[in-house]
Amino acid sequence: YMKYNVTRDIIEDLEDKGIVKAIYPSEELHVGNLEKDMSVVDHVYEVGYKDGLELVSEVKKFLGGKVNEKKGR
């Protein structure tokens, strides 16, 4: 967990400097690396999909509008 905490600190520092845009789930996700319960997997997918849609304009703004807007991407 110490490497995780150090990495998280580095990411937060880079985000404060405007170098990276960190994206986190909108809710705490209780899922393991080898999750087999498809209802849990589906929930995590839906949260990520919803969060992604809500962050599109924010990410485009961070990237300076240089986003490839091809269909399906």
Side-chain angles (χ1 to χ4, degrees):
Y1 74 93
M2 291 185 73
K3 283 185 180 182
Y4 172 85
N5 290 337
V6 169
T7 302
R8 182 90 185 238
D9 290 343
I10 292 169
I11 292 169
E12 288 175 0
D13 182 51
L14 292 172
E15 188 171 30
D16 290 343
K17 293 175 180 174
I19 297 170
V20 301
K21 173 67 182 154
I23 299 173
Y24 302 100
S26 60
E27 64 183 68
E28 189 171 337
L29 301 173
H30 302 281
V31 62
N33 293 356
L34 302 173
E35 184 62 60
K36 294 180 182 178
D37 183 341
M38 288 309 294
S39 66
V40 173
V41 174
D42 286 341
H43 175 71
V44 170
Y45 173 83
E46 291 299 325
V47 168
Y49 187 81
K50 178 184 73 70
D51 289 350
L53 289 176
E54 291 176 1
L55 290 170
V56 167
S57 62
E58 191 175 329
V59 171
K60 282 183 179 181
K61 182 179 175 184
F62 175 78
L63 295 174
K66 300 174 185 174
V67 176
N68 184 351
E69 294 191 18
K70 289 183 180 179
K71 290 183 180 179
R73 293 188 186 225

